[in-house]
Amino acid sequence: MSQKVLLNAKEVNIILHRLACQLIEKHNDFSNTVLIGLQPRGVFLADRLAKILTEDYKVKDIKLGHLDITFFRDDFRRSDKPLEANTTKINFLVENKNIVFIDDVLYTGRSIRAALTAIQSFGRPNEIELLTLIDRRFSRHLPIQPDYRGRQVDVINNEKVKVNWKEYDNEDSVYLIEK
């Protein structure tokens, strides 16, 4: 198994600040916008972006939630091992809000489809956008594209993209791993 560095810590930081600026450009004061990180790995990116927006760009009152999509996936019954759900934490209304789903890697689009179904349990949003750190082009099973993307990469099916966060994995990096 070999691995190649796609992004180092400095590049990840630059991309996160660019994504934060793009969000500010579109949503201004975030008074009608909520950020929702998709469990499990999208929450790391969502938490980091919320921190950058509040600390570096002084955006007040960011509404940040975490959404578990485990039982909304169309493939959740295909595994022999027992499923472990993650925590959903949405302590605000999504009715008529602009939602930005945040996930680390966009691959087939199935997680996003599941998130679209799951969020309906919380109300009817005005608009839903998608922000991803890595967009794996050419691997979509569904017609889903990100509104905000950190980096677009072309990946062969036997390769995997692994995103690491210093808070959880001891480094900020993105690797391309050949299985």
Side-chain angles (χ1 to χ4, degrees):
M1 180 159 48
S2 65
Q3 66 182 25
K4 172 185 165 190
V5 176
L6 291 178
L7 298 172
N8 61 33
K10 183 178 179 181
E11 292 166 324
V12 168
N13 188 48
I14 290 168
I15 287 171
L16 291 179
H17 281 270
R18 177 175 48 81
L19 291 169
C21 288
Q22 288 174 344
L23 287 171
I24 292 169
E25 232 177 80
K26 172 80 187 280
H27 298 281
N28 196 18
D29 64 356
F30 289 78
S31 60
N32 201 40
T33 300
V34 299
L35 305 179
I36 297 182
L38 302 184
Q39 290 278 21
R41 306 271 314 165
V43 299
F44 305 148
L45 175 57
D47 291 349
R48 183 73 74 81
L49 281 171
K51 183 178 179 184
I52 289 170
L53 287 166
T54 55
E55 292 179 5
D56 295 353
Y57 296 103
K58 309 301 181 210
V59 177
K60 304 249 187 277
D61 300 323
I62 295 283
K63 291 174 190 67
L64 172 65
H66 299 163
L67 180 63
D68 178 51
I69 59 168
T70 302
F71 297 109
F72 293 92
R73 292 185 57 93
D74 59 2
D75 59 356
F76 85 93
R77 293 188 181 160
R78 294 182 182 207
S79 176
D80 292 335
K81 60 183 178 183
L83 291 175
E84 289 187 33
N86 294 291
T87 305
T88 289
K89 184 186 96 184
I90 298 178
N91 56 4
F92 45 79
L93 297 175
V94 300
E95 191 75 27
N96 295 319
K97 297 288 186 191
N98 298 320
I99 292 178
V100 180
F101 282 149
I102 299 173
D103 206 1
D104 60 346
V105 178
L106 176 58
Y107 182 25
T108 63
R110 293 186 184 282
S111 294
I112 307 309
R113 191 218 43 87
L116 290 167
T117 303
I119 201 65
Q120 291 175 6
S121 302
F122 294 91
R124 184 175 181 201
N126 180 48
E127 178 182 56
I128 299 176
E129 296 178 319
L130 175 61
L131 180 149
T132 61
L133 181 64
I134 302 294
D135 176 10
R136 282 185 59 155
R137 200 165 65 148
F138 305 133
S139 54
R140 248 19 125 250
H141 294 179
L142 300 169
I144 293 174
Q145 301 301 323
D147 298 283
Y148 312 92
R149 80 171 48 90
R151 174 73 52 91
Q152 189 174 56
V153 296
D154 298 335
V155 179
I156 300 169
N157 284 334
N158 65 340
E159 296 173 322
K160 179 182 178 180
V161 175
K162 172 76 168 97
V163 178
N164 293 320
W165 299 104
K166 70 179 171 194
E167 297 90 338
Y168 309 97
D169 304 305
N170 297 319
E171 70 171 344
D172 284 341
S173 61
V174 179
Y175 292 99
L176 179 63
I177 300 170
E178 192 172 328
K179 299 178 193 177

